[in-house]
Amino acid sequence: MFRSFFEQHYSLKETTWQQVISLFSPATLDKNSFFIREGEIARTMAFLESGIVRGFYRKDNGEEYNKVLFSAPSFFGDYASLISGRPALFSQQALTDARIWVADYRQFTRLYDTCPDLERFSRKWAESIFVQKEQREIELALFDATHRYLNFRKAYPEAEQQIPQYHIASWLGISPTQLSRIRRKLTAS
Amino acid sequence: MFRSFFEQHYSLKETTWQQVISLFSPATLDKNSFFIREGEIARTMAFLESGIVRGFYRKDNGEEYNKVLFSAPSFFGDYASLISGRPALFSQQALTDARIWVADYRQFTRLYDTCPDLERFSRKWAESIFVQKEQREIELALFDATHRYLNFRKAYPEAEQQIPQYHIASWLGISPTQLSRIRRKLTAS
DNA sequence: GAAACCTCTTGACATAGGTAAAGAAATCAG
DNA sequence: CTGATTTCTTTACCTATGTCAAGAGGTTTC
């Protein structure tokens, strides 16, 4: 199962793992269905076993910005809402049919008191998603859209075939028009 | 001292706090001096008691991008390098004379084994800096430069007087020229 | 106080990227 | 298979912002 992925930053004791895994139950997310909608308070964390999920923000004018793409295998969920207990600023939606594992976040955090290794795990986990965010920040700040698109193709080689280009464009922070222009230039050369 | 700031996310036991505080020693950072330089491996974390520190990245062409501004009171240090043990991608430099408190990060993390409350503290801390990063990400993605500048003035009301505009422009992700144009438009209206 | 330096503003010009609209191509539903 | 829908490309035009260079104020230094 997803144990090796789960423990990539820190290995849990067997007894802790058993308790953790018992919190997760399998589920499916049909294409276009939502895992969480903006305004809801996140209660569950999830593991994406197959498929692609986007996290997006809807601007005042109705336009959407794809803040994050999750491509299996990956954890997902609105961490900010889980952590803070405040309503989600983002929605998360499946872009393909997806198989997932879902767990209640409160039940998970309740284990911290009896399983210090799980708290350590979560510290390392939080540290690592912070570092990831920092890397995305650098990308957006320092590279132009062409460069980001090439990076995207390396990072998500399969995703490009599976989701519409306008979602990719949105994640890159550009319009579909501009992505099309970039693609034309790249194939021309 | 900085206890109330330190404990804003989670309160430590008295004995833990005593051990933590004993790791910190006072120091000063003169204007323009570096706390850490790109390429070094970060060993220390710090608390900024007064002054302003920037974290910046130097591009291939020598240009600099101010990734983060720390304005007292604030913790700072290259978390990514501390966490990963890898060389820093960024430098951190005082933009004004600064008073700081410095602690060895390894000594700090060594306390986790005997002080589970400190590990919890650090989990919450890591979670909160993740959420902060997410907010900065939203700002850069969704707001235009004028809007970001206005937010900056709210968030760092004193900083604007103390540091050159080109540092602010860099943090906003625009050129000094463009910031100047934005300022002109704002005063005109 | 003059020279040197630093910072900010301004103007001229170039470019990446936005918007809107139309048509082409691909995909889906019956 | 056919019509409807979705997605992608292209064109035309516009705007925010970049680069470069010049100049105006300030500050610092000797």
Side-chain angles (χ1 to χ4, degrees):
Chain A
M1 238 271 288
F2 56 88
R3 180 163 189 174
S4 66
F5 184 83
F6 198 86
E7 293 189 319
Q8 68 191 130
H9 298 295
Y10 186 69
S11 288
L12 297 171
K13 288 192 305 191
E14 191 59 32
T15 53
T16 304
W17 171 253
Q18 291 304 331
Q19 291 180 75
V20 167
I21 190 63
S22 73
L23 298 179
F24 281 87
S25 30
T28 58
L29 257 192
D30 292 339
K31 182 171 171 175
N32 293 329
S33 67
F34 283 76
F35 180 70
I36 183 174
R37 281 172 195 274
E38 187 187 333
E40 296 173 358
I41 293 176
R43 309 245 174 249
T44 54
M45 52 197 281
F47 175 75
L48 183 62
E49 190 178 333
S50 73
I52 297 174
V53 170
R54 69 172 178 138
F56 69 95
Y57 181 89
R58 186 171 281 120
K59 303 190 203 180
D60 302 335
N61 60 18
E63 233 179 291
E64 296 176 353
Y65 164 63
N66 287 343
K67 188 180 65 89
V68 58
L69 292 178
F70 301 100
S71 179
S74 170
F75 283 97
F76 71 104
D78 188 325
Y79 307 130
S81 175
L82 288 172
I83 291 166
S84 66
R86 286 202 289 266
L89 299 172
F90 304 97
S91 302
Q92 294 187 340
Q93 180 188 32
L95 294 181
T96 65
D97 290 342
R99 274 179 299 146
I100 67 177
W101 294 80
V102 182
D104 182 86
Y105 183 68
R106 286 287 153 249
Q107 290 183 6
F108 181 84
T109 59
R110 231 173 268 136
L111 295 179
Y112 292 157
D113 287 330
T114 51
C115 307
D117 60 328
L118 188 63
E119 181 125 38
R120 173 159 300 182
F121 169 89
S122 287
R123 171 177 63 80
K124 286 177 174 277
W125 167 256
E127 288 171 353
S128 85
I129 59 176
F130 168 80
V131 171
Q132 279 174 355
K133 268 256 174 289
E134 191 156 282
Q135 267 151 12
R136 170 125 165 100
E137 183 186 350
I138 296 168
E139 277 234 354
L140 282 168
L142 300 180
F143 300 154
D144 67 16
T146 304
H147 202 135
R148 295 204 297 278
Y149 173 58
L150 292 171
N151 285 354
F152 165 81
R153 294 212 298 202
K154 266 189 223 155
Y156 303 90
E158 358 58 43
E160 193 166 16
Q161 321 308 325
Q162 298 180 257
I163 63 179
Q165 257 177 54
Y166 56 81
H167 280 319
I168 298 170
S170 170
W171 182 80
L172 292 170
I174 58 177
S175 64
T177 309
Q178 186 62 9
L179 178 53
S180 186
R181 283 193 281 239
I182 288 171
R183 285 161 51 84
R184 180 173 31 156
K185 269 199 196 161
L186 287 174
T187 51
S189 56
Chain B
M1 239 269 289
F2 57 87
R3 180 162 188 176
S4 66
F5 184 83
F6 198 86
E7 293 188 319
Q8 67 190 132
H9 298 295
Y10 186 69
S11 288
L12 297 171
K13 287 192 305 191
E14 191 58 32
T15 53
T16 303
W17 170 253
Q18 291 305 332
Q19 290 181 74
V20 167
I21 190 61
S22 74
L23 297 179
F24 281 87
S25 29
T28 58
L29 258 192
D30 292 339
K31 182 173 173 177
N32 294 329
S33 67
F34 283 76
F35 180 71
I36 183 173
R37 281 172 195 274
E38 187 187 333
E40 294 173 1
I41 292 176
R43 310 245 175 247
T44 54
M45 52 196 284
F47 175 75
L48 183 62
E49 190 179 334
S50 72
I52 298 174
V53 171
R54 69 172 178 138
F56 69 96
Y57 181 89
R58 186 171 280 120
K59 303 190 203 179
D60 301 336
N61 59 19
E63 234 177 290
E64 296 176 354
Y65 164 63
N66 286 345
K67 185 179 67 91
V68 58
L69 292 178
F70 301 101
S71 180
S74 170
F75 282 97
F76 70 104
D78 188 325
Y79 307 131
S81 175
L82 287 173
I83 290 166
S84 66
R86 286 202 288 266
L89 298 172
F90 305 99
S91 301
Q92 295 187 340
Q93 180 189 31
L95 294 182
T96 66
D97 290 343
R99 273 178 300 145
I100 66 177
W101 295 81
V102 182
D104 183 86
Y105 183 68
R106 286 287 152 251
Q107 289 182 7
F108 181 84
T109 58
R110 234 174 264 136
L111 295 178
Y112 292 156
D113 287 329
T114 51
C115 307
D117 60 327
L118 188 64
E119 181 126 40
R120 173 158 301 179
F121 169 88
S122 287
R123 171 177 63 80
K124 286 176 175 279
W125 167 256
E127 288 171 352
S128 85
I129 58 176
F130 168 81
V131 171
Q132 279 175 342
K133 268 255 173 290
E134 191 155 281
Q135 267 150 13
R136 169 125 165 103
E137 181 186 351
I138 296 168
E139 272 228 3
L140 282 168
L142 301 180
F143 299 153
D144 67 16
T146 303
H147 202 136
R148 294 204 298 277
Y149 174 58
L150 292 172
N151 286 354
F152 165 80
R153 294 211 299 201
K154 266 188 223 155
Y156 303 90
E158 357 60 41
E160 192 167 17
Q161 320 309 325
Q162 297 180 256
I163 62 178
Q165 258 178 54
Y166 57 82
H167 280 319
I168 298 170
S170 170
W171 182 80
L172 292 170
I174 57 178
S175 64
T177 308
Q178 185 62 9
L179 177 54
S180 185
R181 284 193 281 237
I182 287 171
R183 284 160 53 83
R184 179 173 33 155
K185 270 198 196 164
L186 287 174
T187 52
S189 56

